[in-house]
Amino acid sequence: MLIVTYNFMNNCIFTPSKLPARMKRYSLILILTISAISQVYAQPFVSVNSGLPGVGRGAVAFADFDNDGDLDLILSGQDNTYSPFSAVYRNDAGQFVGVESGIAPLENCAMAVADFDLDGLQDVVITGVDFDGSKTLLYRNTGNLLFVLVPAGFYNAGAGGDLAWADYNNDGYPDLVISGNWQTHLYTNNGDGTFSPDEAGLVGMNTPALAWGDFDNDGDPDLLMSGDAGSVGEVYIYINQDGDFFRLEAQIEGAVGGDARWGDFDNDGNLDILITGKDASLTPVSYVYRNNGDNTFSFANAGLVGTALGPADWIDYDNDGDLDVMVAGQNAGCGNAATRLYENNGAGSFYEFPAGLAYAERAASAWGDFDNDGDYDLVLTGISTGHTTRLYRNDLITGSFQPNTPPTAPGNLYTYVSGDYAVISWARSTDAQSPQNSITYNVMMGTSPGSIDVISPMSDPATGHRYMTAAGNAGQNDFMVFRNLEPGTYYFRVQAIDQAFAGSAFSDEGSFAVLGTHTTDQPLQMPELLLQHGIIMVNYLPVSRGEAYLIGPEGRIVETRHFAGNNFEMSVRDLTPGLYVIRLLAEGKQWTWKFVK
């Protein structure tokens, strides 16, 4: 019996030479159909002869390190001599040129980019190993692609560790979490170039994957951890409650030796989860979990092939306004490996797109529009027949796909200040490709007009051009919270970031003043909240008057109420179902509760 097969990954058709007449006709129809499909999906990703050295067991990132309007590249890992390697490459009109950066070589590493000192230049932290042992190295970008080592005293996570930046305490400075070798450490950025350890009680993990994201839309980043916590393949989600962390008991399957990422694939305004790695039987798996908006998650039958020992990325590669998926690494079965790109069909699942990407294990990836043509390109590193680094140019816009366009700038800026506590908010933007709920927001703030000495936006304030491929620092919220602000006047602007990570122009500038009101550092008495018969009741308030904010499932303030006296009531009978936050502010103090309608 004759079997005709088509390999979409390699664009190959296999047919025997002798066929019965009927099967010849069927085969011809099949071949013509496949040819038509191949023409529609002509190779969208073109391998570029970049001259970049082959690297495996490493990390790679795009960032505009010299603020010249195009994305540069940092590459770290094991080279083809099995030695540690690190290098920075300047983007010269789409050509990558190696520079003397001052960054030391590491392998079996992870890296993260952020402007930790708020000087407008993107800095780098790398954790991994060299011939002398485990190291975690923080580098300050001094300009012109030169980096200086900062003696931060971070935990050395060793081979297979991970780290991630986020401003977990809402003071404007990026903080850092590091995990690996059965320990996890959180470091608070002191704002003076130093960091202090925070005893956050986070679980220790081996071979972890870390990601920050405000999955409950309450204005502060929560932490996703996947890895080996003593029982192979566990997921921990920590809810950030005003800088304290509490584990959410969620029914999510974990994995080791893979990746974990937040992303809103269904455009409902809630961050979903992508998990890859190996399960308890050491079989590669790939899972997507949908955020239900009430602190629970549901398994989404995404149809992804199980993948381990490589990256998992959310990326809108086709500029249609929803997040697609790329996974790279090892698959089930001896010697099987692949890099797969999945297109989001907009109905809750994915189908594989024949992108023609090379396979790699011990892989790493970075997406960024290195040629500034309006779509996202790919750098893929790893080990296949040897150590490899591939640069793929996304040429989808040469077909039926169009370049992405940025969102509109946010407007209607609003501020609220109580003591050293402040909230800024804005009207949501719109975008031609991305639904409104999927847009994230990015804030810049300083102590003088146009400055960024309180929050760095990692964007060009004049043009909105993004210095890196990432969501905005406010997430999908249309507000941002600040705590422990020093007395003075603060100036801020906001930009919108779409699903393809393109930034709008910044908004007009807003401002607010913080007076020298003292807020006690002593623990506050916690009032009592009750929900009965559709009525929120707060009793035993130790203040006489203040304001109450009801924040809806999309992170927007849906009702503001002034209160006087030691008790407060609010009807919630007419609210739509979902997770809500109620926040009371009075005399420099605040209380926050969450409830499900």
Side-chain angles (χ1 to χ4, degrees), residues 411-448:
N412 298 331
L413 304 183
Y414 171 82
T415 63
Y416 170 83
V417 181
S418 176
D420 59 3
Y421 177 92
V423 179
I424 62 173
S425 64
W426 50 87
R428 291 185 178 272
S429 298
T430 58
D431 183 72
Q433 292 83 28
S434 299
Q436 191 174 52
N437 282 344
S438 70
I439 294 174
T440 65
Y441 296 91
N442 200 38
V443 174
M444 58 175 283
M445 192 166 81
T447 54
S448 61

Side-chain angles (χ1 to χ4, degrees), residues 107-110 127-129 157-162 179-181 205-209 362:
E107 62 178 330
N108 287 303
C109 56
T127 188
V129 298
D162 201 8
S179 185
N181 198 24
M205 276 193 175
N206 198 33
T207 61
R362 305 291 180 177

Side-chain angles (χ1 to χ4, degrees), residues 396-545:
L396 277 175
I397 62 171
T398 62
S400 60
F401 297 90
Q402 297 299 315
N404 185 57
T405 56
T408 60
N412 298 331
L413 304 183
Y414 171 82
T415 63
Y416 170 83
V417 181
S418 176
D420 59 3
Y421 177 92
V423 179
I424 62 173
S425 64
W426 50 87
R428 291 185 178 272
S429 298
T430 58
D431 183 72
Q433 292 83 28
S434 299
Q436 191 174 52
N437 282 344
S438 70
I439 294 174
T440 65
Y441 296 91
N442 200 38
V443 174
M444 58 175 283
M445 192 166 81
T447 54
S448 61
S451 66
I452 58 169
D453 57 324
V454 177
I455 296 181
S456 174
M458 296 189 287
S459 298
D460 187 330
T463 66
H465 170 76
R466 294 285 282 152
Y467 293 149
M468 60 190 305
T469 306
N473 54 29
Q476 292 166 302
N477 299 312
D478 56 0
F479 66 94
M480 182 175 272
V481 176
F482 303 94
R483 299 182 178 89
N484 304 317
L485 292 173
E486 295 293 328
T489 301
Y490 294 86
Y491 301 85
F492 68 94
R493 298 166 66 195
V494 186
Q495 78 172 153
I497 311 293
D498 65 17
Q499 285 283 54
F501 304 120
S504 73
F506 277 89
S507 68
D508 294 335
E509 192 165 66
S511 65
F512 61 91
V514 174
L515 304 178
T517 303
H518 175 70
T519 302
T520 178
D521 292 329
Q522 297 301 315
L524 302 178
Q525 176 183 349
M526 179 60 76
E528 177 185 56
L529 181 140
L530 299 173
L531 173 60
Q532 293 181 346
H533 309 296
I535 301 293
I536 287 284
M537 294 174 286
V538 180
N539 301 315
Y540 312 120
L541 284 166
V543 292
S544 58
R545 61 183 63 249

Side-chain angles (χ1 to χ4, degrees), residues 189-344:
N189 189 335
N190 298 320
D192 58 1
T194 66
F195 292 79
S196 299
D198 187 311
E199 297 299 327
L202 305 175
V203 65
M205 276 193 175
N206 198 33
T207 61
L210 309 176
W212 292 98
D214 186 11
F215 84 91
D216 54 1
N217 294 331
D218 67 346
D220 45 29
D222 310 298
L223 181 60
L224 170 65
M225 303 178 65
S226 180
D228 186 354
S231 175
V232 174
E234 292 187 76
V235 167
Y236 280 67
I237 298 175
Y238 285 100
I239 298 176
N240 183 351
Q241 185 69 50
D242 299 336
D244 295 320
F245 293 89
F246 305 92
R247 187 185 180 188
L248 175 70
E249 297 295 335
Q251 300 300 313
I252 296 178
E253 294 291 331
V256 297
D259 212 345
R261 291 287 180 263
W262 296 106
D264 182 12
F265 84 92
D266 52 3
N267 289 338
D268 66 350
N270 299 310
L271 291 177
D272 310 301
I273 294 176
L274 172 62
I275 299 283
T276 63
K278 294 185 178 182
D279 64 12
S281 66
L282 300 182
T283 300
V285 294
S286 298
Y287 300 133
V288 173
Y289 285 87
R290 178 180 286 106
N291 185 341
N292 299 319
D294 59 359
N295 282 13
T296 66
F297 293 82
S298 299
F299 179 76
N301 189 15
L304 308 181
V305 172
T307 306
L309 304 180
D313 298 326
W314 294 109
I315 183 71
D316 183 15
Y317 81 92
D318 53 3
N319 291 342
D320 66 349
D322 51 29
L323 291 178
D324 312 299
V325 171
M326 191 208 76
V327 292
Q330 184 185 97
N331 307 130
C334 181
N336 289 336
T339 300
R340 290 183 165 89
L341 187 62
Y342 291 91
E343 185 169 344
N344 187 336

